Amino acid sequence: MPDFETVKSIASVATPFTNAIVETWLKPALIKLLAKYRTDRELIQNSFASKFQDYLDRAYERHSYLNVLVFQNQRKLLEELYIPMRIQRDRMREAYLIDDYPPELLERHSRVLIRDTAGMGKSTMLKFLFLATVRRNIGIPVFVELRKLSSQVDLIEFVITELSPVGETVDRNFVIELLTRGHFIFFLDGYDEVPLAEREPVTHSLQQFIAKLPDNFFVMASRPEAALATFSDFVGFDVLPLLREEAFALIRKYDTSGEISSRLIAALQEPHLESVSDFLENPLLVSLLFKSYEYKPRIPFKKHIFYRQVFDALFETHDLTKPGAFIREKHSGLDIEEFHRVLRSFSFLTVKLRKVAYSRDEIVRVLTEAAKYSQGIKFRSSDFLQDLLTTVPLFVRDGSEYRWSHKSLQEYFAACFICLDAKEREGEILRKMISDDSGRYLTVLDLCYDLDFPSFRANIIYPLAKQFVSHINSVYCGEYGSVSYNAIAIRKTMTFHRSIVFGPHDILKASVEEISSRSGVPLPPKYQPLYGSELSKKVFVFSYGSHSEAELFDLLRTKGNEIFCAYDWTSEEDVSAVMAVEPVVRGIGKPVLLTDDPIAPFNSPELFSHVNTLIRGLDVGIWFDPLACQNIVFEFESEGSLEDSNIDLLSGL
């Protein structure tokens, strides 16, 4: 824990900055607002200004720290560990280095969405931006952990609670009127952590809140979620991977002596370890790598091995390298394998709850249920919880709330449960995950891929391959004149689990329902824009599909799975293709949903290959390999049942 003098120092540093924000932005707004109130204006003005400065002081102190797993969840100053990160707008060249408050970012975009997968540091970046906003006196910052919102607590109520001293309440209408005057910057962290049961009301209230406050700025951070498509006025940015030197700089920050970091960095530069370079792109995995190497100087090659070594290090001691290191006695009395087993079932049950923070009663209830899956292991739920907070610090206590130190740890143990403890229902669980929302379970699926590839292949890859083979055998089977067989085969591949829409400029902001209505052809449920490209100043082409499916396909592609093939891809549309297609789109004058109708204009011999070129220019080309998919289907459907294949294994025993 930081000492009293450090906390006191941070408070003294913050006060001049927060006072400047109040004087520059808040008091002028209060003076104008209170002009219409028949009351003691000066009293209300000073009282509210004082409350808001108290909030800013508290928030500045709180967000100046990180709970870092590498240091046993001790609080460390954010700016001592922060490595400036880079964000980039989709596939465009617009990018920013977040090494200070980026004024040009919010000057260009008042609604910003920062997204990426587990461990890329989105929350840390938002905290850094909050602190930088205070220091720069850019506006009035408000930091919101979205998981704390619900159907009963909307964003207004959250702000009121933050501003209200104990025993007092700030007037709701007064706060709303103040917010409408602008100059507020809302940092909205962790949309993906909003519990599913609260997702719809929270999303609705957020959208209303944002729509009613056009003169304010909003920066939201989230893992990729299908529901993010509803925030269509937000401009999306992705967190760029760490560069190798940035990863090494982060490793050095974790090591006070410099001995372990020097050895680790030297080892990582060995040619035979090039295969682990992907792990150096993710700040969380970099920290886990340091932790596991500190415990056991061996570099693992798989994510799940990272997590296991980190768990082993946390369970046995935080530093086995020093003389006199000890194995801490566990309150639960469990050994390392028993503890891991209970954690697996506990984590799976919490993943089903679809949230990472809980009350004490919730945790005790889930641990009691987890005991049913851990037969032969006896423990008290309260003792196990105490271990999670202290001796095996995978949890952090924040007031009355208990939460995972990082969501990806929860997902690792849940994946272990699926692949090790729920074998009889593993396939059913995997299929359920991709049918519900594979984007939400992406990290779990990633880990399951490595933990039990045969089951993953049988339950996810084989059904996808079968669907693809069925697709290519059922579309574009008509007569297309002089169109080549190869061009038709490419079109079949390009239209698997996606719909292509060409249209005039006004489709840019049209909803899926509106496009379906105007084109006269329905888009499948849950389809949203995946990628878009401007052909000219008047015409757009979009790829529509399921965000969850697109994320699953991208996961499989990054795994180098056999189901995909590499087509040549270019981000630039061929000029001749644009010139050929644009007049047709403008002539139709409404959105056109691409179909396999042989007489449709986009399927004419003159346009067919041009249309393929434009589709190929939409995205990174996650194309299924027809031959590989056919081989997978043949392999699975020509094999005998699993029970039959086990007969040889039993003979001779």
Side-chain angles (χ1 to χ4, degrees), residues 87 96-107 129 132-133:
I87 59 174
Y96 301 91
L97 176 68
I98 309 301
D99 59 350
D100 201 340
Y101 179 88
E104 65 278 12
L105 173 63
L106 293 186
E107 285 174 5
L129 285 171
T133 302

Side-chain angles (χ1 to χ4, degrees), residues 95-131:
Y96 301 91
L97 176 68
I98 309 301
D99 59 350
D100 201 340
Y101 179 88
E104 65 278 12
L105 173 63
L106 293 186
E107 285 174 5
R108 297 185 66 177
H109 312 291
S110 61
R111 312 284 185 266
V112 172
L113 172 62
I114 298 173
R115 65 197 172 207
D116 221 308
T117 51
M120 289 301 292
K122 299 175 292 297
S123 295
T124 302
M125 184 188 298
L126 247 62
K127 290 182 177 183
F128 178 84
L129 285 171
F130 176 87
L131 299 177

Side-chain angles (χ1 to χ4, degrees), residues 146 149-154 191 194-208 225 227 230-231 354 440:
L146 292 176
L149 304 187
S150 66
S151 53
Q152 282 74 45
V153 181
D154 61 11
Y191 177 80
V194 177
L196 190 63
E198 301 288 351
R199 177 66 60 83
E200 187 174 343
V202 168
T203 300
H204 180 69
S205 66
L206 267 177
Q207 289 172 328
Q208 286 191 318
E225 291 272 346
T230 61
F231 296 94
R354 302 191 181 191
R440 190 178 252 308

Side-chain angles (χ1 to χ4, degrees), residues 515-523 593 595:
I515 288 174
S516 292
S517 174
R518 290 172 60 188
S519 67
V521 182
L523 284 164
L593 186 61
T595 71

Side-chain angles (χ1 to χ4, degrees), residues 83-88 116-117 119-120 238-247 277-283 286:
I83 294 291
M85 304 173 73
R86 292 160 293 122
I87 59 174
Q88 183 170 349
D116 221 308
T117 51
M120 289 301 292
D238 297 313
V239 181
L240 294 179
L242 289 176
L243 300 175
R244 179 172 285 251
E245 285 306 316
E246 292 171 339
S277 60
D278 288 350
F279 295 120
L280 297 178
E281 297 176 350
N282 182 300
V286 170

Side-chain angles (χ1 to χ4, degrees), residues 282-298:
N282 182 300
L284 174 68
L285 293 184
V286 170
S287 71
L288 295 182
L289 177 59
F290 177 83
K291 188 65 180 177
S292 64
Y293 191 84
E294 179 187 36
Y295 167 68
K296 184 182 295 184
R298 184 182 67 191

Side-chain angles (χ1 to χ4, degrees), residues 1 36 72 129 144 152 191 238 278 285 311 329 572:
M1 291 285 290
K36 65 179 185 179
Q72 299 292 102
L129 285 171
V144 183
Q152 282 74 45
Y191 177 80
D238 297 313
D278 288 350
L285 293 184
F311 167 74
E329 185 178 351
E572 301 294 334

